[in-house]
Amino acid sequence: MERKPSAVLIVALILWTFGVAGTVILPLFDQEINSATASGELRNYPEDSAEARGREIYIQNGCQTCHTQFVRALPADTNQNLGPVTKGGDYKYDLPHLLGSNRTGPDLMWVGLKYNEDWQRQHLIDPQSTSPGTIMPSFDYLSNQELDDLVAYLMSLKPTEERLEEYKKEMSEAKNHN
């Protein structure tokens, strides 16, 4: 093998092909990933709805730079009580996907469960008033309509009632188990 770099190249190419097939092509045939969950269906916003416009404002202002929208099945997430672990189908209608890669701010996947509309609006206008010490910038430059749309989008980020009940049951069982 040392004297035949072409053989090493061929083996490497074969391994790369298997890797691509396993991580890119095979998942396309997994119906669980390719079908929307009930929570994913909730995110199928009508094109000109307040939620769809709010999502665009979220993207335009780069909110995904500091906030993630996925709850992992890791102690770092489950111990924070972020909500149900997300599934592939939760993102069926999210294009572009707003998973984020950095949690400078809190995860927002299910933020619609945590705070009411008034809190959300106040937090966007004056983050320090609701979260002292935060480094989140103020979005007081947005128009009232833009703020309403962004709040509508944030409030829409929640699981279905059934999924929430399942999560509460799992959390209760985990507490009783410890």
Side-chain angles (χ1 to χ4, degrees):
M1 284 283 252
E2 288 180 17
R3 295 187 182 205
K4 299 196 183 231
S6 59
V8 173
L9 182 62
I10 291 171
V11 170
L13 187 59
I14 290 170
L15 290 174
W16 180 83
T17 303
F18 279 119
V20 169
T23 59
V24 177
I25 297 169
L26 288 178
L28 295 174
F29 299 101
D30 186 345
Q31 287 307 311
E32 186 176 333
I33 292 173
N34 292 312
S35 300
T37 61
S39 295
E41 290 292 344
L42 293 177
R43 291 174 172 230
N44 188 11
Y45 309 121
E47 194 171 312
D48 196 38
S49 65
E51 293 85 357
R53 291 189 307 269
R55 188 172 191 279
E56 287 302 314
I57 294 165
Y58 183 94
I59 293 167
Q60 290 166 0
N61 285 280
C63 299
Q64 70 279 7
T65 303
C66 295
H67 297 281
T68 57
Q69 285 191 25
F70 66 99
V71 179
R72 304 164 297 180
L74 300 172
D77 286 4
T78 56
N79 292 343
Q80 291 183 53
N81 197 22
L82 295 176
V85 172
T86 52
K87 301 175 182 176
D90 292 338
Y91 305 105
K92 173 74 175 174
Y93 300 106
D94 281 1
L95 292 173
H97 298 297
L98 301 176
L99 302 178
S101 62
N102 186 10
R103 282 196 184 152
T104 303
D107 183 85
L108 300 181
M109 182 65 182
W110 311 121
V111 73
L113 290 174
K114 296 183 182 210
Y115 307 104
N116 64 32
E117 291 178 19
D118 293 334
W119 187 96
Q120 295 284 10
R121 180 179 265 283
Q122 182 61 34
H123 185 66
L124 292 168
I125 294 170
D126 183 12
Q128 291 291 327
S129 69
T130 56
S131 303
T134 184
I135 61 169
M136 180 173 153
S138 172
F139 291 92
D140 59 357
Y141 57 86
L142 295 175
S143 71
N144 283 333
Q145 180 63 55
E146 290 171 322
L147 281 168
D148 289 345
D149 292 345
L150 185 52
V151 167
Y153 172 64
L154 293 171
M155 293 305 296
S156 75
L157 298 178
K158 55 183 123 186
T160 61
E161 289 296 323
E162 296 83 16
R163 184 125 169 236
L164 185 57
E165 290 305 316
E166 286 175 24
Y167 169 70
K168 288 178 180 177
K169 184 178 175 184
E170 289 171 12
M171 294 303 289
S172 175
E173 288 173 0
K175 279 185 181 176
N176 292 338
H177 188 261
N178 292 333

